Amino acid sequence: MEKKYLIIGNWKMYKTPSQSTDLVNEIAQFKCPDKVKLGISPPFTNLCPISKALKNSSIVLGAQNMYCAKEGAFTGEISPQMLQDLNVHYVIIGHSERRSIFKESNALIHQKVKVAQDFQLIPILCVGETLEERQAGQEKAIVEEQISSALEGISSALVIAYEPVWAIGTGQTATPEIAQEMHGFIRNLLKEQFPKDGESIHILYGGSMKPNNAAELLRQADISGGLIGSASLVPKDFMAIAQSV
Ligand code: PGA
């Protein structure tokens, strides 16, 4: 079976709503290989204009976070129902910046994954170890804990993003060997939990994926896409990554 890829741009807290439509229109002008599904995860404020701009496009929309309730007195939060209404398809959950800066726990992340699925959103669960954890030889234990806690009682309609924290925004990409080793480990965990679908769940690599290293990473057996931060804000770089498959 031909390998299919998922490439998602994580814009983080960059671009205003008015800047975002120009950027999206520029991205949409590039040709994307048939075996690649392309997605963009802009800030919440940009979802509405981008949803309109992408109306007739094959590019899908993702959010960067959500709260785990349909609605309610949760000042400052965004609900899965609101995302659904804007044709959002994916939602990034448990990004390392959410875990470290906003102190999101494995328990909260589990709730978010569960509620995202309840609203037919596909969670992109982010996992990954810090440099200290890797130096202490704990990378697999950490990732296993992040995955097993988040996936309790969850269906296979999800995506995993392995993002070693030491590679995010640092320009220090994991080597293809290190990345594949962790992706293979994650693949086995998924196959244990989902004997039928574990093989086909997307496992994205994230952490300084760029046009000059994407092809080699994406060629690895268990890497089927990327979660792209800074390079996704430069249309020609983002599309060079998609075209490198
Ligand atoms: P980066 O970010 O590509 O800028 O390293 C990736 C991410 O945080 O998802």
Side-chain angles (χ1 to χ4, degrees):
M1 213 172 59
E2 193 190 36
K3 191 171 166 187
K4 300 265 191 224
Y5 296 85
L6 178 63
I7 307 279
I8 304 277
N10 173 12
W11 287 10
K12 307 195 179 186
M13 200 176 74
Y14 290 100
K15 302 294 169 189
T16 63
S18 44
Q19 291 166 334
S20 69
T21 36
D22 286 349
L23 190 56
V24 143
N25 288 333
E26 217 182 309
I27 290 169
Q29 277 167 16
F30 284 84
K31 177 140 179 49
C32 187
D34 290 341
K35 56 187 170 181
V36 176
K37 190 183 218 182
L38 205 64
I40 290 168
S41 295
F44 289 133
T45 47
N46 305 4
L47 287 170
C48 191
I50 296 185
S51 177
K52 285 186 191 143
L54 291 180
K55 208 158 183 175
N56 297 311
S57 158
S58 57
I59 301 174
V60 289
L61 197 54
Q64 298 176 17
N65 182 29
M66 55 161 246
Y67 192 61
C68 47
K70 180 180 171 193
E71 57 187 6
F74 301 104
T75 302
E77 293 296 323
I78 299 286
S79 87
Q81 184 176 242
M82 296 166 186
L83 299 180
Q84 226 182 13
D85 193 62
L86 291 172
N87 301 317
V88 171
H89 192 71
Y90 293 101
V91 55
I92 299 172
I93 305 239
H95 188 280
S96 76
E97 287 147 20
R98 303 282 335 158
R99 292 178 190 262
S100 65
I101 305 169
F102 302 101
K103 308 294 173 224
E104 292 198 6
S105 65
N106 280 338
L108 177 65
I109 289 165
H110 174 228
Q111 272 312 304
K112 290 187 174 190
V113 169
K114 201 167 165 312
V115 174
Q117 285 192 338
D118 290 344
F119 284 83
Q120 287 80 48
L121 296 164
I122 308 272
I124 301 178
L125 170 69
C126 297
V127 299
E129 79 286 357
T130 62
L131 186 58
E132 295 69 41
E133 288 160 348
R134 175 162 281 271
Q135 284 167 343
Q138 294 169 343
E139 66 277 12
K140 289 194 174 126
I142 293 290
V143 165
E144 181 166 5
E145 170 62 20
Q146 290 171 337
I147 290 191
S148 60
S149 59
L151 299 196
E152 215 187 302
I154 296 299
S155 87
S156 60
L158 86 162
V159 172
I160 304 283
Y162 170 63
E163 301 203 297
V165 178
W166 45 271
I168 296 176
T170 59
Q172 196 193 336
T173 319
T175 62
E177 295 72 29
I178 290 182
Q180 169 54 33
E181 190 189 348
M182 293 303 288
H183 280 241
F185 176 70
I186 293 168
R187 175 72 66 209
N188 287 335
L189 295 175
L190 294 175
K191 285 203 284 197
E192 268 171 42
Q193 178 156 353
F194 308 110
K196 203 162 115 311
D197 303 322
E199 190 68 65
S200 56
I201 294 174
H202 276 298
I203 310 176
L204 316 182
Y205 170 80
S208 301
M209 195 187 256
K210 310 280 181 197
N212 66 357
N213 57 34
E216 223 189 316
L217 286 161
L218 294 168
R219 203 178 294 135
Q220 305 303 310
D222 293 298
I223 302 184
S224 65
L227 186 55
I228 322 293
S230 58
S232 72
L233 294 164
V234 182
K236 75 170 178 21
D237 288 354
F238 185 48
M239 296 313 291
I241 292 173
Q243 288 163 351
S244 75
V245 299

